[in-house]
């Protein structure tokens, strides 16, 4: 059998949820070009679209929002796990994984709502516990994203902040058969429950080659500090063999379309002439030029991480929250893939090629 490391170019599933064309830089979410829908829809509308195949009308949207809002509270046992994790100063993504794993599973439909509704509550509660503050109970009157910001900061957010974070969550809600999505589908393929599947997906997302990468972008921008330092700093990184964070993607050979959407969403949070956004634009331009110089033909362009970091920084979020926020956005897509996989009901069971020794013979321990 042919061997494909990482299952590259192997088609293992069919999906109606999203389509990624890396050659032309296109991302389609359930039939809608990303740039058509991400900046307009609410997060609840996007979830409904993925789960039901259509955007809801006013009546359906009101009902769906109510169903999600009713599931936001964290069980006492899960909250106790978060308190213990905070006492040990565990990382946010580790604490989120532990808390999600502790959520009770009942049936697929209930689990789906629970996961999407409670993940923001878990992230916000743990972040406040790390700061020595008490978690804030969710407000059922607020929408999904507004409630998340409220639980984080303890005050009702402005519409601009809600729209910006909504755009981000919409932008990362699904992205083909990525590592964490595949992990979720593999787990569900064994007829396991959605809670277990999403726990596994969060573990996959933690890796720096997947969702764990946006944070270092801010560190790079802060280290550069001024546009005059950008080229020398980036050259040094490239000459030492380091990767430039926020550039290059396993699928896209042109600029990641999500970068354009998030760049527009981030712009309004940086009003000064000599601000982080201006620096980021210069760093992006310089990095692309240098990548072509040092790695000609590799087509390494801006990816979603670069402007994710800038947008979330503009919203006042600490880099430790960047990967958990990715999970808050992606969880609805993970669940949608779990639903698809459940309908297929076929276990993933790829082959492996044995490369070990074939001639060993047993020797008793006293003769070894």
């Amino acid at each position: 059998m042919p061997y494909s490391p990482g299952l590259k170019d192997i088609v293992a599933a069919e999906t109606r949820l999203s389509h990624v064309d890396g050659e032309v830089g296109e991302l389609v979410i359930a039939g809608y070009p990303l740039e058509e829908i991400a900046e307009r829809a609410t997060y609840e509308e996007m979830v409904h679209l993925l789960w039901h195949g259509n955007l809801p009308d006013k009546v359906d949207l009101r009902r769906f929002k109510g169903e999600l809002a009713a599931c936001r509270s964290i069980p006492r046992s899960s909250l106790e796990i978060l308190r213990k994790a905070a006492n040990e100063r565990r990382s946010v993504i580790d604490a989120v994984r532990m808390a999600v794993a502790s959520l009770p599973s009942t049936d697929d439909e209930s689990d789906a709502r629970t996961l999407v509704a409670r993940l923001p509550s878990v992230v916000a509660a743990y972040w406040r516990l790390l700061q020595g503050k008490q978690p804030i109970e969710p407000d059922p009157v607020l929408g999904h994203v507004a409630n998340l910001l409220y639980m984080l900061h303890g005050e009702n957010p402005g519409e601009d902040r809600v729209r910006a974070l909504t755009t981000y969550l919409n932008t990362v809600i699904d992205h083909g058969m990525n590592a964490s999505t595949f992990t979720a589908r593999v787990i569900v393929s064994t007829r396991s429950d959605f809670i277990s599947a999403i726990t596994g997906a969060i573990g996959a997302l933690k890796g720096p080659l997947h969702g764990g990468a946006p944070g270092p972008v801010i560190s790079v921008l802060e280290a550069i500090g001024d546009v005059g330092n950008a080229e020398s700093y980036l050259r040094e990184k490239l000459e030492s063999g380091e990767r430039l964070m926020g550039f290059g993607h396993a699928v896209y050979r042109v600029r990641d379309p999500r970068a354009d959407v998030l760049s527009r969403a981030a712009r309004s949070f940086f009003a000064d002439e000599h601000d982080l956004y201006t620096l980021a634009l210069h760093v992006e331009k310089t990095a692309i030029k240098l990548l072509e110089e040092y790695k000609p033909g590799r087509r390494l362009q801006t990816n979603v991480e670069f402007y994710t970091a800038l947008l979330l920084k503009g919203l006042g979020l600490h880099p430790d929250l960047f990967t958990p926020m990715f999970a808050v956005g992606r969880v609805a897509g993970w669940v949608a893939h779990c639903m698809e996989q459940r309908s297929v009901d076929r276990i993933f069971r790829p082959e492996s090629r044995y490369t070990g020794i074939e001639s060993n013979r047993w020797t008793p321990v006293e003769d070894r």
Side-chain angles (χ1 to χ4, degrees):
M1 293 184 180
Y3 169 47
S4 177
L7 302 181
K8 181 175 174 58
D9 298 326
I10 300 297
V11 176
E14 293 182 329
T15 182
R16 62 165 182 80
L17 300 173
S18 64
H19 171 66
V20 183
D21 189 328
E23 290 297 322
V24 300
E26 180 181 71
L27 172 58
V28 176
I29 304 292
Y32 291 87
L34 178 71
E35 59 274 15
E36 172 74 18
I37 196 169
E39 298 168 281
R40 294 171 173 154
T42 65
Y43 187 72
E44 291 93 335
E45 286 177 305
M46 294 290 286
V47 178
H48 192 282
L49 173 64
L50 289 181
W51 291 4
H52 301 287
N54 62 277
L55 290 171
D57 59 24
K58 290 182 179 179
V59 174
D60 286 340
L61 182 58
R62 188 182 309 112
R63 174 190 53 78
F64 190 56
K65 283 183 174 181
E67 290 174 350
L68 291 178
C71 300
R72 290 173 180 164
S73 293
I74 306 172
R76 184 177 300 177
S77 57
S78 301
L79 189 57
E80 186 60 28
I81 288 172
L82 293 177
R83 292 188 187 279
K84 291 180 179 179
N87 289 337
E88 297 174 5
R89 309 302 296 178
R90 301 291 292 270
S91 73
V92 183
I93 195 65
D94 279 346
V96 169
R97 187 195 68 239
M98 290 186 287
V100 168
S102 74
L103 296 176
S105 174
T106 52
D107 57 75
D108 288 352
E109 187 175 341
S110 297
D111 289 357
R113 291 194 297 266
T114 292
L115 285 159
V116 169
R118 286 184 181 164
L119 194 56
S121 301
V122 166
V123 171
Y126 187 66
W127 185 249
R128 289 185 66 84
L129 288 169
L130 279 180
Q131 313 311 309
K133 301 175 182 178
Q134 288 302 307
I136 295 174
E137 280 294 311
D139 185 342
V141 175
L142 295 175
H144 188 80
V145 178
N147 178 68
L148 168 56
L149 290 169
Y150 165 71
M151 290 188 297
L152 276 171
H153 303 302
E155 57 186 24
N156 288 341
E159 291 185 10
D160 59 334
R161 295 171 61 79
V162 173
R163 181 63 259 172
L165 185 55
T166 300
T167 297
Y168 168 68
L169 299 180
N170 290 349
T171 297
V172 300
I173 197 168
D174 197 55
H175 197 253
M177 189 64 83
N178 55 82
S180 56
T181 296
F182 183 54
T183 300
R185 292 190 75 134
V186 168
I187 293 172
V188 165
S189 80
T190 70
R191 295 184 181 169
S192 186
D193 58 277
F194 285 11
I195 302 294
S196 297
I198 294 337
T199 301
I202 292 171
L205 188 72
K206 177 185 175 183
L209 294 184
H210 191 12
V217 172
I218 294 298
S219 299
V220 168
L221 293 175
E222 291 176 344
I224 292 173
D226 183 84
V227 294
N229 302 326
E231 183 163 342
S232 60
Y233 180 92
L234 296 174
R235 279 191 184 278
E236 183 178 343
K237 289 284 184 183
L238 289 168
E239 289 175 0
S240 64
E242 294 185 50
R243 176 191 171 195
L244 297 189
M245 305 308 295
F247 299 91
H249 193 276
V251 177
Y252 292 112
R253 294 297 173 261
V254 294
R255 196 169 193 262
D256 189 330
R258 297 171 296 178
D260 287 326
V261 173
L262 297 182
S263 174
R264 291 192 295 270
R267 186 184 303 122
S268 62
F269 293 102
F270 300 93
D272 297 332
E273 182 179 353
H274 301 291
D275 56 22
L276 195 63
Y277 186 83
T278 303
L279 175 62
L281 292 177
H282 181 79
V283 168
E284 179 186 18
K285 181 178 179 180
T286 305
I288 291 172
K289 180 189 73 172
L290 293 178
L291 285 167
E292 182 57 33
E293 176 184 334
Y294 281 85
K295 302 176 186 293
R298 291 280 301 278
R299 300 167 69 183
L300 300 172
Q301 296 287 324
T302 314
N303 63 36
V304 68
E305 299 160 5
F306 192 79
Y307 284 104
T308 287
L310 207 63
L311 175 57
L312 297 183
K313 172 76 171 177
L315 284 167
L317 301 182
H318 191 278
D320 289 348
L321 283 171
F322 289 3
T323 300
M325 282 295 172
F326 196 129
V328 168
R330 183 59 60 84
V331 63
W334 288 333
V335 168
H337 278 273
C338 289
M339 293 173 175
E340 282 194 336
Q341 191 61 43
R342 185 73 86 211
S343 67
V344 173
D345 195 26
R346 177 72 177 268
I347 191 171
F348 281 100
R349 183 59 174 86
E351 298 291 335
S352 61
R353 179 180 296 169
Y354 180 68
T355 60
I357 298 171
E358 296 184 357
S359 58
N360 279 335
R361 295 293 180 269
W362 170 255
T363 303
V365 65
E366 59 270 14
D367 295 333
R368 293 176 203 161

